[in-house]
Amino acid sequence: MKITRLSTAVIAGNFPWVLVKLETDTGHTGLGEAYWGAGVAELVHLAKPLVEGQDPRNINKIVEMMIRCMSGAGSQAGATVTAISGVEIALWDLLGRILDTPVATLFGGLFRDTIRVYADCHAGETPDPADYAKKAKEVVAEGFTAIKFDLDTPNPYTIDISDDPHPRRRWFEPFNRSIGSREMTWMVDVVRAVRDAVGPEVMVAMDAHWKYGVNDAIKLAQALEPFDLLWLEDPVPPENIEAQRHVTHSTRTPICTGENLYRKHGYRELIEKQAARIIAPDIPKMGGLAEAKKVADHADLYYIPIAPHNVASPIGTVAGSHVCAAINNFLVIEYHAHDVEWWSDLVNEAPPIEKGFIRIEDRPGHGLTLNEDVARAHLKPGSSFFGDEPHG
Ligand code: MG
């Protein structure tokens, strides 16, 4: 059995969804997805000589060959790992279809057959906390039991130093990673409004996008303790694990991070130093399904749960959900396309997310097939539809 062809199609969703297709001499196909990014589709094509001609059942060997042979292109971290992730996911889907088995079964079977999804709500329509509360209620009314908002921006009290005529207020300018008192009060008001709107049982997370220094991050996390957040995400920049650890151990608000890390090695220090309470690997970005399973198992040594970051199409989302079903320490997975009306139409099956949950179906592979008409209608301009030529 041999892989005969590797090809891509880039779909213009709220991010460019890089779909990866594998074909074999037995007629089986696999469909994966890589996280977006400049050059990712080209890097997938760079892997063609390493993938085509291989027996698709030897997934670990094929992935290791890509990691080793593409090291010059950057297979330690970054876009090359992302491209490899897309191929890796396609390989697992292909193996599932060859064996007539769901991907989750290949990873040891189900801890759960319904996967809790959290809706990324972004921001309120206006900076009024009441508008955040309104949006939260609307999304919860759709069935979501977990939601997330951006907390750091747009903060109406963040001073634009280019326009501010009062130099003495520049203590609170955005580049020094500080939080002004009015900014802080507004953030607490937003969280209070959302919590009051949805009640105590809905899981509420907040994202701070790596914005603050250690001291102000701790002040923010402690100020939010009364609201029992599911997590506060990325309150400090991602590079310094010691700083991350200090914040995490200084508050009862759980700190979540991990969407910028790659491969199991990238998560090692974060996990072993217990520098986060919750870890958020982006599965089609950080190495793929088996790599995410390894990170989850490593985190479980320290009883740390996993909440995957996810901005993928249904293909990457549901493929990742099969791993979420097969690890005990899964918490919740992100859904970032609430405002993309045709997200579910990209596949022929029933909408993957129903009332805030993904059901793991007893179908081979990840269980989804591409609706080619919808995919073609949203093909990224200049991109080919599973053709041979490299493209962005
Ligand atoms: Mg985030």
Side-chain angles (χ1 to χ4, degrees):
M1 185 179 291
K2 280 189 171 29
I3 297 168
T4 52
R5 193 156 173 267
L6 183 165
S7 58
T8 58
V10 183
I11 310 300
N14 51 345
F15 294 91
W17 297 323
V18 182
L19 302 183
V20 179
K21 185 176 180 181
L22 293 172
E23 295 166 68
T24 63
D25 58 1
T26 56
H28 295 95
T29 62
L31 186 63
E33 180 175 354
Y35 183 85
W36 65 281
V40 170
E42 284 89 340
L43 287 161
V44 172
H45 285 261
L46 201 64
K48 278 169 75 86
L50 303 166
V51 176
E52 291 177 352
Q54 295 293 318
D55 185 326
R57 294 168 293 190
N58 299 327
I59 296 177
N60 291 348
K61 184 182 102 176
I62 297 170
V63 171
E64 188 67 20
M65 281 169 53
M66 289 191 286
I67 292 287
R68 293 190 186 196
C69 297
M70 295 172 76
S71 63
S75 62
Q76 193 173 342
T80 302
V81 177
T82 296
I84 292 170
S85 307
V87 179
E88 196 262 16
I89 292 171
L91 283 165
W92 284 109
D93 180 47
L94 178 54
L95 181 62
R97 289 171 200 270
I98 290 167
L99 299 176
D100 198 25
T101 299
V103 168
T105 306
L106 303 177
F107 283 97
L110 303 176
F111 279 98
R112 57 194 73 77
D113 62 3
T114 48
I115 299 301
R116 190 190 303 269
V117 175
Y118 75 85
D120 191 320
C121 303
H122 311 299
E125 291 228 333
T126 76
D128 185 341
D131 277 342
Y132 284 71
K134 179 165 169 277
K135 196 166 196 176
K137 273 187 164 168
E138 288 168 3
V139 173
V140 168
E142 294 171 27
F144 285 96
T145 55
I147 57 175
K148 184 171 91 179
F149 281 93
D150 298 336
L151 187 60
D152 57 310
T153 185
N155 188 312
Y157 298 107
T158 299
I159 293 165
D160 182 345
I161 54 168
S162 59
D163 296 332
D164 186 7
H166 302 293
R168 65 191 167 82
R169 297 198 329 201
R170 289 180 191 170
W171 180 258
F172 300 117
E173 56 99 341
F175 291 107
N176 64 14
R177 307 193 190 287
S178 63
I179 304 175
S181 59
R182 285 192 298 176
E183 287 180 286
M184 180 76 81
T185 303
W186 179 83
M187 287 193 275
V188 172
D189 287 347
V190 165
V191 175
R192 181 187 294 111
V194 170
R195 174 54 79 203
D196 287 350
V198 300
E201 290 185 0
V202 172
M203 297 175 172
V204 177
M206 294 282 158
D207 195 343
H209 300 102
W210 318 279
K211 200 68 71 63
Y212 308 119
V214 166
N215 193 56
D216 285 11
I218 291 171
K219 280 166 66 179
L220 173 63
Q222 290 182 345
L224 300 181
E225 285 174 2
F227 307 108
D228 194 25
L229 288 181
L230 179 61
W231 68 69
L232 175 63
E233 182 170 325
D234 290 317
V236 288
E239 306 92 346
N240 187 324
I241 301 297
E242 291 293 346
Q244 182 88 44
R245 183 179 195 280
H246 188 55
V247 174
T248 292
H249 288 252
S250 300
T251 177
R252 285 192 291 114
T253 297
I255 302 299
C256 174
T257 190
E259 67 181 79
N260 291 325
L261 298 174
Y262 295 87
R263 302 182 58 208
K264 56 183 181 287
H265 312 79
Y267 293 84
R268 184 181 62 81
E269 191 183 2
L270 181 71
I271 292 168
E272 291 178 0
K273 290 190 170 164
Q274 301 176 71
R277 300 295 187 204
I278 297 161
I279 294 181
D282 190 302
I283 297 171
K285 175 183 182 183
M286 55 71 72
L289 304 182
E291 201 74 358
K293 173 81 162 54
K294 289 171 190 171
V295 168
D297 290 345
H298 189 192
D300 194 47
L301 294 177
Y302 299 86
Y303 318 119
I304 298 171
I306 299 294
H309 177 261
N310 176 57
V311 299
S313 83
I315 302 298
T317 302
V318 172
S321 295
H322 276 253
V323 168
C324 297
I327 57 174
N328 63 306
N329 52 338
F330 166 72
L331 189 60
V332 63
I333 189 171
E334 181 169 10
Y335 173 49
H336 204 280
H338 193 258
D339 46 1
V340 181
E341 286 179 6
W342 50 274
W343 188 85
S344 297
D345 300 337
L346 195 61
V347 293
N348 294 312
E349 293 72 20
I353 300 175
E354 287 189 273
K355 298 208 173 294
F357 287 85
I358 293 172
R359 174 170 285 280
I360 302 297
E361 303 288 352
D362 192 11
R363 292 194 294 251
H366 50 54
L368 297 180
T369 56
L370 194 65
N371 182 325
E372 297 204 352
D373 292 338
V374 174
R376 280 181 193 278
H378 294 281
L379 199 62
K380 185 182 170 192
S383 161
S384 71
F385 190 76
F386 300 114
D388 274 323
E389 66 276 24
H391 52 71

